[in-house]
């Protein structure tokens, strides 16, 4: 039974291994001890298994059994040390790993998993968000950004504009390639972030046009240049727009007759009211060249009449009574990227970075990219990999699933991902792997 399970992860790992093998090898002389691909696979395996001790456990298995899960699951030949991984991955440009993000989307599409992300008549929501993924007063590299703290100390940090497919109604998110924010002399933090957003849209946006994306972003995004950048690639936007930063737009609303709609929604044991207002063709800013956008607002009112939540958005999509509630739900889904997924990712990233240190050039960005790729492949497996899904369902929480994965891969060598997840699902031991 085990050997017949075809797992999407096997083919994704194969594609990843092929990509790692193409990374430039700066070693001179005799390179035969380790294949270049082993360094990328080794770091990826740590993120994918969510286990900082994965490589040392596999090295111990290898010693005792002559083989390990590094070979069988991740296609590695040998297991390099953390030091070797750091040295070899530090010069790698993270962008060289980016083709794997589109491969994840393609695997999701092929497996029918993209439907979970379709909203508003077949569109896909892509949330863009500025995120810091490293911060230290001690460690730094040539690509760190810097800022002074109030205590006079200099803090080094790395930031990126992260991109992820999200949707209201479920907790899944699929990370896409990020755009790294690089230090620019004299530029403000916000300026760097919005420039990175524009770079993402111009360079990454076109390849996702087939998904008919609607871009989600925070109040920083809801300025005319970013809205125009989205329209320029034929996509749509649905951005948070706060009253404090959109004075012209809100003064326009003051004098207008604004349509409203409300719905009673059961929340826990009681009903709350979702109240919507919207208006089409409102100027985004002052001046004759102002873009006209469509505005919408949601308020959540508790049974005592108290407003417990309020948010407002601008979009280039039509807004009316029949779609305003879905538009607001989609706009709010942007919070997933911060709350449900990327915080876990960031916290885990901080922990796992201790394995490899900070590097001198690109290591921090390479590790962040591998972390995002691991997360993307988890999401693909969660949605379209039947044997993986069955194991996830049998075990319950995500946390416990990875605890069990860590534990059993420490003691047993599995011939394939199919054999591993089948053991996790059924509790039956796998067929023995012959000693190498
Ligand atoms: Zn750095």
């Amino acid at each position: 039974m085990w050997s017949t399970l075809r797992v999407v992860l096997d083919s994704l790992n194969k594609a990843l291994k092929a990509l790692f093998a193409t990374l430039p090898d700066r070693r001179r002389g005799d390179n035969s001890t380790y294949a270049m691909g082993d360094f990328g696979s080794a770091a990826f395996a740590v993120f994918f298994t969510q286990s900082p001790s994965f490589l040392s456990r596999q090295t111990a298995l290898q010693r005792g059994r002559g083989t390990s899960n590094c070979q069988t699951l991740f296609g590695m030949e040998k297991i390099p040390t953390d030091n070797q991984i750091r040295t070899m991955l530090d010069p790698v440009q993270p962008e060289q790993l980016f083709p794997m993000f589109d491969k994840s989307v393609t695997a999701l599409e092929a497996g029918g998993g993209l439907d979970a992300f379709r909203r508003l008549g077949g569109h896909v929501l892509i949330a863009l968000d500025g995120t810091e993924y490293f911060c230290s007063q001690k460690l730094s590299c040539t690509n760190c950004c810097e800022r002074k703290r109030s205590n006079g100390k200099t803090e080094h940090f790395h930031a990126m504009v992260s991109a992820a497919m999200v949707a209201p109604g479920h907790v899944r998110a699929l990370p896409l390639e990020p755009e790294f924010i690089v230090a620019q002399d004299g530029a403000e933090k916000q300026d760097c972030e919005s420039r990175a957003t524009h770079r993402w849209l111009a360079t990454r946006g076109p390849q996702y046009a087939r998904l008919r994306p609607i871009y989600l972003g925070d109040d920083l995004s809801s300025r005319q240049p970013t809205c125009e950048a989205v329209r320029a690639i034929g996509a749509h936007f649905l951005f948070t727009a706060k009253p404090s930063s959109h004075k012209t737009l809100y003064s326009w609303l003051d004098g207008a007759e604004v349509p409203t709609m409300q719905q009673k929604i059961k929340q826990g044991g009681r009903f709350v009211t979702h109240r919507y207002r919207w208006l089409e063709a409102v100027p985004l800013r002052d001046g004759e060249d102002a873009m006209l956008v469509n505005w919408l607002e949601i308020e959540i009112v508790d049974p005592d009449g108290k407003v417990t939540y309020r948010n407002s958005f601008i979009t280039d999509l039509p807004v009316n009574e029949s779609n305003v509630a879905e538009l607001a739900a989609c706009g709010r889904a942007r919070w997933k990227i911060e709350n449900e997924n990327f915080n876990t990712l960031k916290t885990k990233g901080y922990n796992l970075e201790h394995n490899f240190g900070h590097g001198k050039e690109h290591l921090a960005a390479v590790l962040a990219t591998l972390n995002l790729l691991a997360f993307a492949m988890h999401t693909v497996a969660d949605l379209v990999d039947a044997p993986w899904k069955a194991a996830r369902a049998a075990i319950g929480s995500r946390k416990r699933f990875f605890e069990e994965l860590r534990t059993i891969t420490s003691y047993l060598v599995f011939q394939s991902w199919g054999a591993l997840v089948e053991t996790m699902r059924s509790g039956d031991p796998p067929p023995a792997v012959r000693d190498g």
Side-chain angles (χ1 to χ4, degrees):
M1 155 127 204
W2 281 279
S3 57
T4 61
L5 282 172
R6 302 288 298 175
V7 182
V8 178
L9 280 177
D10 286 321
S11 61
L12 280 175
N13 268 302
K14 213 171 263 176
L16 193 57
K17 198 198 159 200
L19 180 66
F20 286 142
T22 67
L23 296 179
D25 189 342
R26 287 199 192 169
R27 288 171 296 181
R28 293 191 186 143
D30 181 17
N31 297 340
S32 58
T33 316
Y34 292 95
M36 189 59 203
D38 281 353
F39 302 103
S41 296
F44 176 77
V46 170
F47 291 105
F48 191 83
T49 59
Q50 305 274 293
S51 169
S53 60
F54 184 74
L55 297 176
S56 60
R57 298 293 181 102
Q58 299 310 309
T59 305
L61 273 179
Q62 164 95 46
R63 229 176 273 134
R65 317 256 169 100
T67 187
S68 83
N69 294 296
C70 280
Q71 281 84 353
T72 55
L73 300 183
F74 293 98
M76 292 161 57
E77 288 166 29
K78 291 182 179 166
I79 308 171
T81 65
D82 291 352
N83 261 335
Q84 290 166 325
I85 294 167
R86 174 173 56 239
T87 310
M88 293 305 293
L89 294 186
D90 195 30
V92 170
Q93 301 275 353
E95 288 77 11
Q96 290 175 291
L97 302 168
F98 284 5
M100 203 55 210
F101 287 100
D102 199 28
K103 284 206 166 65
S104 301
V105 175
T106 306
L108 189 73
E109 222 170 350
L114 203 56
D115 292 345
F117 290 97
R118 299 273 188 205
R119 293 294 183 278
L120 290 160
H123 291 286
V124 153
L125 309 172
I126 298 178
L128 299 174
D129 206 26
T131 312
E132 272 183 33
Y133 62 92
F134 170 83
C135 177
S136 170
Q137 294 191 350
K138 290 181 196 140
L139 295 172
S140 70
C141 70
T142 51
N143 287 309
C144 269
C145 299
E146 280 184 4
R147 68 183 153 222
K148 279 261 187 268
R149 300 303 302 185
S150 50
N151 63 7
K153 286 196 174 138
T154 301
E155 197 165 82
H156 307 278
F157 68 98
H158 286 248
M160 61 184 169
V161 167
S162 58
M165 269 167 45
V166 294
H170 64 75
V171 299
R172 311 275 178 239
L174 185 76
L176 306 175
E177 50 270 72
E179 181 70 38
F180 291 105
I181 298 176
V182 285
Q184 285 157 328
D185 283 343
E188 295 283 324
K189 179 183 173 286
Q190 293 190 353
D191 189 33
C192 290
E193 188 175 321
S194 85
R195 276 192 232 178
T197 301
H198 288 202
R199 282 201 304 277
W200 195 99
L201 289 167
T203 57
R204 316 291 167 204
Q207 85 200 56
Y208 296 115
R210 69 180 196 277
L211 306 176
R212 301 176 60 217
I214 300 169
Y215 286 96
L216 309 180
D218 64 9
D219 190 63
L220 271 181
S221 306
S222 57
R223 314 304 155 94
Q224 187 151 331
T226 307
C227 297
E228 284 170 347
V230 171
R231 295 297 295 148
I233 55 167
H236 301 285
F237 60 83
L238 176 58
F239 293 146
T240 301
K242 288 181 186 164
S244 54
S245 50
H246 292 81
K247 297 240 154 54
T248 303
L249 188 152
Y250 276 85
S251 66
W252 188 271
L253 289 169
D254 273 344
E257 194 162 309
V258 178
T260 64
M261 189 270 280
Q262 59 181 44
Q263 292 174 333
K264 291 252 186 250
I265 305 283
K266 196 159 190 208
Q267 198 177 72
R270 60 184 198 163
F271 282 93
V272 297
T273 304
H274 286 195
R275 204 153 64 196
Y276 301 96
R277 300 198 298 151
W278 68 94
L279 194 63
E280 295 194 314
V282 194
L284 181 54
R285 65 180 184 193
D286 237 352
E288 283 181 2
D289 66 342
M291 181 187 248
L292 295 181
V293 295
N294 302 328
W295 170 88
L296 63 136
E297 178 191 71
I298 172 176
E299 282 180 340
I300 300 178
V301 188
D302 73 10
D304 305 324
K306 201 175 136 216
V307 176
T308 57
Y309 176 87
R310 177 186 290 124
N311 212 340
S312 41
F313 306 92
I314 55 157
T315 180
D316 61 324
L317 294 160
V319 187
N320 51 55
E321 187 164 357
S322 67
N323 73 358
V324 67
E326 193 181 6
L327 277 166
C330 289
R332 295 176 70 194
R334 190 186 76 76
W335 291 99
K336 283 171 187 292
I337 197 171
E338 285 179 7
N339 296 345
E340 289 169 21
N341 296 293
F342 278 43
N343 269 346
T344 343
L345 196 70
K346 272 204 283 185
T347 329
K348 295 269 196 273
Y350 285 134
N351 293 336
L352 295 176
E353 201 164 51
H354 293 311
N355 279 40
F356 307 112
H358 189 63
K360 297 191 179 88
E361 288 182 87
H362 305 297
L363 186 68
V366 168
L367 296 180
T369 304
L370 291 175
N371 208 348
L372 289 169
L373 273 177
F375 200 91
M377 282 168 60
H378 290 156
T379 298
V380 173
D382 285 348
L383 287 165
V384 303
D385 194 318
W388 172 280
K389 277 162 76 175
R392 285 284 319 260
I395 291 171
S397 81
R398 175 188 165 87
K399 191 164 167 261
R400 240 190 90 204
F401 178 83
F402 282 103
E403 277 166 10
E404 294 202 6
L405 190 148
R406 266 194 290 277
T407 308
I408 62 168
T409 54
S410 297
Y411 300 104
L412 297 169
V413 179
F414 295 88
Q415 281 166 325
S416 66
W417 284 100
L420 170 58
V421 294
E422 175 56 17
T423 293
M424 291 180 76
R425 183 195 68 77
S426 64
D428 296 333
V433 172
R434 232 174 246 277
D435 287 354

